[in-house]
């Protein structure tokens, strides 16, 4: 058991890290250590006992408490804020006892209680030893007979080793431009990234990394993510006493939750880890965790898919889709996905959402005919849906205008001419479950792309069961319930999470979806940096990447293929316009991808030269047994003459001999890594080099 306990002290150990908390002399649950694992449990430092500095700086304020409530003389950002029924807005948490369990993963639970009020707070820690990750979440139980109002309930506060000399990395973006990395100095005060949009959002990503002069390959990095697909908040705080802490949890902005007697509120998980060897190592731990622990279909290779959206937009029917399918099959595509436009009255984005049955004019005999054709070509069939949405011009909206999120006194602001169904409501959940169950049970569908194309407005909920501000959480719980029920009913279906591209990419949704559509921007050179950002926390097999016609007059098809082959390859161009040479090149790339995809989808990823920082970039995937690797190199635009940098491989066995495509003679792994290799490319050229260990 990697958890050492004693009456006042707890140490959690993973393969390489140690994490310690304990009670200090004042009885406060105090953070002690989070860094490299130490040889003995007794090695971990004792809890600190700060002294009074002045009446303005009392010990409570600068004790690194593990989970501080808003109370007494504490002025830093608290993890929990409660209002009791009598109006008291002060929480005095006292340690009560602890428990541990071993299955399926080792867990520690530290139980706290308010000194006076019947509120129990349990801090949970799940240990993923192999991945050097700890998942933390919190349970709040109302043991009294009056309601309690929760105004903030973060999942964790992570305390860094004492100091104020850290860098904070995070990702920001917008629709069509997701996952831009930013690394900045943390200075005293608060730095917050968040979503207030009801979904995870394109605008910030629930991921952080803290370092002290780390690089991709070296240096200490503390990192983490939040497993939630709704409003979230990550705050880095540096106090005036040089203490640096990261809070992770549900966004408390416009949030409140009425916790009735005998009820329990459970927060989502905040998952974090520590590495000694740079950002790349942090990403690889998360990749392994996602692939081995999180995904519904754990080590299952993803098929090469074709998606018709960019080719046909809403203009789909049995004949034209079957024609595309024939071309796709000829190129070696394994899964044909029909996107938007197939359902009742859906000819543009102004109508149809909500009415999830095939449009009679486009599919007079239902979807069966098209699916039969696709299957006869040897491909699986997949379908696009956007179940959380409704167009005002739909039968569903005409029947249930009250089902959308709105305030009765306000106009319902449309975006893409659609409104959001309130998934917090059980009648809405039941409708979506039933209508999707019908589609999935009547048709041979192997893949569903679940889209969501707008953010919230007028977040009202008349007749809400508790506080109307519970909407933010109840919506996501409803979404998980609907998706979870469908997953149980149709366990073989592969689901993809999409929200106008990367608006819903997080560890929460990956309990249900195996893949993510990471951006509507499919222009290959832009995609290089979007893909790199995504790789900070999610592995290549979850990253669906289509080859499309964006930039076709400038960017060669081979380059576009190579970019998409860095993830789960798909094709999304208008195949009717691809000439014979294009189709042959596509068939060649797809054949090659099928050969190397186990390394890309399941291997270790090394970001060698960053496309976010350089027009010449390289990324490497190494098989887990280190016997094979695939190197991708891209040159976008550099004015000549230029000196292209050496590429230093990573992750090889230093003493084994490897051959690299196109380079004469085997060299040791150490040589390819230390001496490196040079790959000459012209502007808008790319290369894939296969690397193999020789016997
Ligand atoms: C947004 C998605 O990101 C696109 O791929 C496509 O599915 C459209 N929605 C369809 O409306």
């Amino acid at each position: 058991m990697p958890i050492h306990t004693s009456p006042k002290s707890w140490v959690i150990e993973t393969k390489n890290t140690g994490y310690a908390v304990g009670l200090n002399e004042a009885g406060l649950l105090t953070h002690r250590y989070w860094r490299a694992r130490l040889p003995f449990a007794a090695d971990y430092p004792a809890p600190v006992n700060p002294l009074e500095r002045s009446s303005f700086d009392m010990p409570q304020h600068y004790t690194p408490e593990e989970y501080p409530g808003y109370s007494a003389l504490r002025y830093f950002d608290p993890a929990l804020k409660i209002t009791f029924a009598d109006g008291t807005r002060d929480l005095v948490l006292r340690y009560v006892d602890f428990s541990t369990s071993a299955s399926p993963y080792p867990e520690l639970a530290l139980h706290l209680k308010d000194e006076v009020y019947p509120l129990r707070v349990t801090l949970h820690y799940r240990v993923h030893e192999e991945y050097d990750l700890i998942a933390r979440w919190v349970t709040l139980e109302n043991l009294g007979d009056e309601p309690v109002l929760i105004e903030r309930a973060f999942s964790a506060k992570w305390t860094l080793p004492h100091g104020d000399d850290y860098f904070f990395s995070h990702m920001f973006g917008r629709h069509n431009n997701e996952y831009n990395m930013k690394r900045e100095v943390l200075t005293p005060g608060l730095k917050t990234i968040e979503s207030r949009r009801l979904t995870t959002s394109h605008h910030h990503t629930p991921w952080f990394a803290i370092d002290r002069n780390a690089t991709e390959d070296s240096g200490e990095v503390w990192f983490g993510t939040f497993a939630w697909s709704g409003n979230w908040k990550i705050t880095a705080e540096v106090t005036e006493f040089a203490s640096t802490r990261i809070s992770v949890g549900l966004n408390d902005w416009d949030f409140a939750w009425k916790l009735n007697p005998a009820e329990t509120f459970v927060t989502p998980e905040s998952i974090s880890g520590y590495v000694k060897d740079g950002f790349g190592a942090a990403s690889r731990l998360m990749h392994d965790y996602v692939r081995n622990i999180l995904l519904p279909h754990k080590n299952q290779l993803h098929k090469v898919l074709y998606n018709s959206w960019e080719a046909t937009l809403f203009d789909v029917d049995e004949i034209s889709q079957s024609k595309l399918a024939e071309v796709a099959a000829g190129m070696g595509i394994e899964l044909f996905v029909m996107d938007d436009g197939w359902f009742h009255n859906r000819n543009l984005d102004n109508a149809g959402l909500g009415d999830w049955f095939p449009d009679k004019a486009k599919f007079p005999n239902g979807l069966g005919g098209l699916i039969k054709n696709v299957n006869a070509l040897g491909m699986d069939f997949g379908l696009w849906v956007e179940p959380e949405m409704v167009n005002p011009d739909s039968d569903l909206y005409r029947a249930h205008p009250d089902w959308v999120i709105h305030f009765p006194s306000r106009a319902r602001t449309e975006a893409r001419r659609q409104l959001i169904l309130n998934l917090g409501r059980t009648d809405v959940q039941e409708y979506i479950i039933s209508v999707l169950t019908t589609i999935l049970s009547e048709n041979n569908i192997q893949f569903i792309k679940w889209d969501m194309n707008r953010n919230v407005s007028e977040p009202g909920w008349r007749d809400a069961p508790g506080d109307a501000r519970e909407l933010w959480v109840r919506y996501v719980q409803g979404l998980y319930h609907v998706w979870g029920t469908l997953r149980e009913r149709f366990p073989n279906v592969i689901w993809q999470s999409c929200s106008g591209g990367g608006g819903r990419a997080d560890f929460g949704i990956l309990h249900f979806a195996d893949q993510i559509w990471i951006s509507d921007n499919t222009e290959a050179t832009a995609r290089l940096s979007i893909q790199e950002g995504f790789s900070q926390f999610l592995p290549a097999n979850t990253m669906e990447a289509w080859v499309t016609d964006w930039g076709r007059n400038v960017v060669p098809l081979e380059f576009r293929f190579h970019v998409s082959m860095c993830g789960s390859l798909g094709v999304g161009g208008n195949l009717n316009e691809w000439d014979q040479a294009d189709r042959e090149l596509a068939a060649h790339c797809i054949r090659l991808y099928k050969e190397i995809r186990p390394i890309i989808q399941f291997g270790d990823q090394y970001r060698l030269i960053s496309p976010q920082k350089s027009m010449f970039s390289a990324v490497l995937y190494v098989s887990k047994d280190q016997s094979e690797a695939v190197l991708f190199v891209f040159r976008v635009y550099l004015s000549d003459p230029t000196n292209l940098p050496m590429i230093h491989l990573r992750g090889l066995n230093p003493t084994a001999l490897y051959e690299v495509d196109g380079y004469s003679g085997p060299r040791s792994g150490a040589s390819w890594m230390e001496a490196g290799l040079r790959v000459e490319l012209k502007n808008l050229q790319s290369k894939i080099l296969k690397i193999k260990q020789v016997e």
Side-chain angles (χ1 to χ4, degrees):
M1 184 86 161
I3 302 172
H4 306 279
T5 65
S6 71
K8 288 186 179 181
S9 134
W10 301 272
V11 175
I12 293 170
E13 289 181 326
T14 66
K15 206 162 137 193
N16 300 297
T17 74
Y19 184 100
V21 289
L23 298 181
N24 74 359
E25 283 164 13
L28 297 176
L29 187 64
T30 303
H31 179 84
R32 295 160 51 200
Y33 182 88
W34 183 26
R35 218 168 190 174
R37 182 177 166 154
L38 302 176
F40 307 107
D43 287 341
Y44 294 93
V48 293
N49 295 294
L51 300 173
E52 184 176 324
R53 294 182 188 229
S54 81
S55 60
F56 296 99
D57 295 313
M58 300 291 278
Q60 283 171 352
H61 178 61
Y62 59 99
T63 304
E65 275 180 271
E66 181 70 354
Y67 192 75
Y70 174 63
S71 149
L73 294 160
R74 294 168 175 85
Y75 306 103
F76 52 77
D77 209 32
L80 185 60
K81 185 166 182 304
I82 297 288
T83 297
F84 293 103
D86 64 3
T88 300
R89 306 190 317 278
D90 184 82
L91 180 69
V92 181
L93 289 178
R94 292 267 175 251
Y95 169 75
V96 180
D97 58 9
F98 75 94
S99 55
T100 57
S101 58
S103 163
Y105 303 103
E107 277 183 27
L108 168 68
L110 300 174
H111 304 286
L112 315 175
K113 222 175 134 289
D114 185 84
E115 196 175 58
V116 173
Y117 295 91
L119 178 73
R120 180 156 57 196
V121 178
T122 302
L123 313 187
H124 301 270
Y125 300 79
R126 182 184 308 120
V127 192
H128 293 286
E129 286 175 85
E130 275 308 295
Y131 308 94
D132 286 325
L133 294 174
I134 300 174
R136 288 180 60 186
W137 71 100
V138 171
T139 306
L140 306 176
E141 292 162 90
N142 184 348
L143 308 175
D145 46 21
E146 288 181 300
V148 165
L149 195 70
I150 307 169
E151 290 164 352
R152 168 185 286 186
F154 287 158
S155 299
K157 189 173 274 287
W158 300 94
T159 303
L160 281 295
H162 187 81
D164 57 1
D165 52 346
Y166 290 99
F167 291 87
F168 179 57
S169 296
H170 58 100
M171 286 187 275
F172 69 97
R174 56 191 158 96
H175 178 239
N176 270 336
N177 183 14
E178 295 89 339
Y179 310 117
N180 298 286
M181 285 281 288
K182 186 94 195 158
R183 179 168 173 264
E184 56 197 74
V185 174
L186 273 183
T187 52
L190 295 170
K191 164 82 191 179
T192 293
I193 55 170
E194 63 176 348
S195 167
R196 299 180 177 192
R197 292 172 181 256
L198 187 66
T199 54
T200 324
S201 104
H202 305 76
H203 302 79
H204 290 283
T205 301
W207 168 86
F208 70 88
I210 303 283
D211 75 284
R212 282 172 160 155
N213 294 323
T215 68
E216 195 59 26
D217 301 315
S218 67
E220 292 185 292
V221 182
W222 293 261
F223 59 95
T225 190
F226 187 47
W228 185 245
S229 313
N231 285 6
W232 56 270
K233 188 171 186 176
I234 296 178
T235 301
E237 178 168 28
V238 181
T239 73
E240 59 282 15
F241 295 107
S243 172
T244 301
R245 308 163 192 190
I246 313 293
S247 300
V248 180
L250 295 169
N251 202 336
D252 56 337
W253 176 82
D254 195 39
F255 165 79
W257 187 281
K258 186 169 157 219
L259 191 67
N260 289 312
E263 284 182 353
T264 298
F265 183 80
V266 185
T267 72
E269 287 177 18
S270 163
I271 300 162
S272 280
Y274 162 83
V275 290
K276 268 202 230 177
D277 35 10
F279 294 97
S283 297
R284 285 187 290 279
L285 288 176
M286 289 197 148
H287 294 176
D288 286 345
Y289 172 81
V290 168
R291 288 183 296 217
N292 299 339
I293 307 285
L294 215 52
L295 294 183
H297 295 92
K298 303 205 180 357
N299 295 301
Q300 185 170 319
L301 277 177
H302 287 157
K303 297 193 169 169
V304 179
L305 67 73
Y306 176 76
N307 180 294
S308 61
W309 171 245
E310 291 194 20
T312 57
L313 296 177
F314 302 96
D315 193 11
V316 297
D317 60 27
E318 185 172 325
I319 297 172
S320 62
Q321 290 285 299
S322 299
K323 208 171 131 215
L324 276 171
E326 253 175 62
V327 186
M331 298 182 338
I333 302 276
E334 299 160 303
L335 163 66
F336 182 87
V337 182
M338 177 162 63
D339 210 278
D340 203 346
W342 61 269
F343 46 98
H344 179 56
N345 207 17
R346 182 70 165 175
N347 298 311
L348 274 178
D349 63 12
N350 62 338
L353 290 174
D355 299 342
W356 298 109
F357 44 91
D359 185 74
K360 283 244 160 23
K362 296 176 180 177
F363 296 95
N365 307 310
L367 299 178
L370 172 62
I371 298 179
K372 221 167 100 210
N373 294 342
V374 166
N375 292 161
L377 290 162
M379 295 184 293
D380 287 346
F381 180 80
L383 193 65
W384 176 95
V385 292
E386 194 179 0
E388 298 152 80
M389 295 291 155
V390 67
N391 286 116
D393 184 1
S394 65
D395 292 349
L396 183 70
Y397 188 72
R398 283 181 280 273
H400 299 286
D402 52 320
W403 276 11
V404 302
I405 294 176
H406 71 286
F407 290 117
S409 61
R410 297 281 182 211
R412 300 165 183 210
T413 305
E414 293 176 23
R416 210 196 192 203
R417 304 196 240 188
Q418 60 199 55
L419 299 168
I420 307 180
L421 293 170
N422 182 348
L423 263 80
R425 294 175 60 125
T426 45
D427 45 7
V428 170
Q429 294 165 14
E430 278 156 22
Y431 169 77
I432 299 176
I433 291 172
S434 124
V435 80
L436 289 184
T437 297
T438 305
I439 298 170
L440 282 162
S441 41
E442 288 179 354
N443 297 289
N444 183 23
I445 294 175
Q446 309 294 332
F447 178 95
I448 292 276
K449 172 176 174 184
W450 182 307
D451 204 347
M452 197 227 192
N453 281 305
R454 63 160 293 181
N455 293 143
V456 73
S457 63
E458 298 94 27
W461 183 354
R462 201 172 52 183
D463 309 324
D467 189 297
R469 290 167 294 179
E470 292 171 22
L471 172 77
W472 303 109
V473 172
R474 288 197 186 268
Y475 182 95
V476 181
Q477 289 175 338
L479 173 76
Y480 287 173
H481 168 66
V482 170
W483 209 325
T485 307
L486 291 165
R487 267 206 36 73
E488 264 168 38
R489 285 188 190 168
F490 304 98
N492 297 327
V493 171
I494 300 285
W495 301 78
Q496 181 196 101
S497 167
C498 168
S499 175
R504 188 141 68 194
D506 58 76
F507 278 36
I509 214 64
L510 289 177
H511 285 281
F512 311 100
D514 284 278
Q515 278 175 237
I516 288 171
W517 177 233
I518 70 164
S519 183
D520 276 352
N521 187 342
T522 57
E523 194 284 300
T525 62
R527 194 84 185 193
L528 278 174
S529 46
I530 296 173
Q531 294 187 172
E532 187 193 49
F534 183 86
S535 79
Q536 291 296 337
F537 75 131
L538 291 170
N541 68 328
T542 65
M543 182 179 84
E544 194 188 316
W546 308 341
V547 179
T548 71
D549 299 330
W550 273 40
R552 66 180 298 175
N553 297 329
V554 181
V555 187
L557 184 59
E558 187 182 53
F559 189 109
R560 285 179 271 145
F561 258 99
H562 289 174
V563 172
S564 295
M565 288 162 80
C566 293
S568 189
L569 174 65
V571 176
N574 188 350
L575 301 183
N576 296 323
E577 291 175 3
W578 288 25
D579 61 21
Q580 198 47 32
D582 289 344
R583 292 180 189 182
E584 277 167 21
L585 177 61
H588 164 77
C589 290
I590 291 171
R591 255 194 318 276
L592 171 62
Y593 179 73
K594 286 178 183 169
E595 198 189 304
I596 57 182
R597 77 176 147 188
I599 309 173
I600 295 162
Q601 295 194 16
F602 299 149
D604 285 331
Q605 181 173 351
Y606 293 84
R607 296 177 291 254
L608 302 183
I609 304 178
S610 164
Q612 294 206 0
K613 294 186 191 141
S614 156
M615 288 286 202
F616 180 84
S617 63
V619 60
L620 177 77
Y621 301 84
V622 181
S623 65
K624 285 283 173 191
D625 66 2
Q626 296 178 300
S627 68
E628 286 181 281
V630 188
L631 172 67
F632 290 81
V633 192
F634 302 96
R635 172 169 165 176
V636 179
Y637 181 84
L638 291 167
S639 53
D640 283 315
T642 185
N643 291 324
L644 297 176
M646 293 295 287
I647 296 174
H648 297 272
L649 303 187
R650 291 278 171 263
L652 303 179
N653 176 350
T655 54
L657 287 175
Y658 292 90
E659 271 173 353
V660 176
D661 267 359
Y663 291 76
S664 67
R667 282 162 53 185
S668 68
S671 165
W672 293 115
M673 294 192 286
E674 299 310 322
L677 67 156
R678 197 181 284 285
V679 178
E680 293 297 344
L681 293 177
K682 297 202 170 51
N683 284 329
L684 289 170
Q685 274 191 344
S686 55
K687 235 183 211 163
I688 296 180
L689 300 179
K690 288 192 279 178
I691 298 156
K692 232 181 162 29
Q693 188 181 337
V694 290
E695 296 308 319

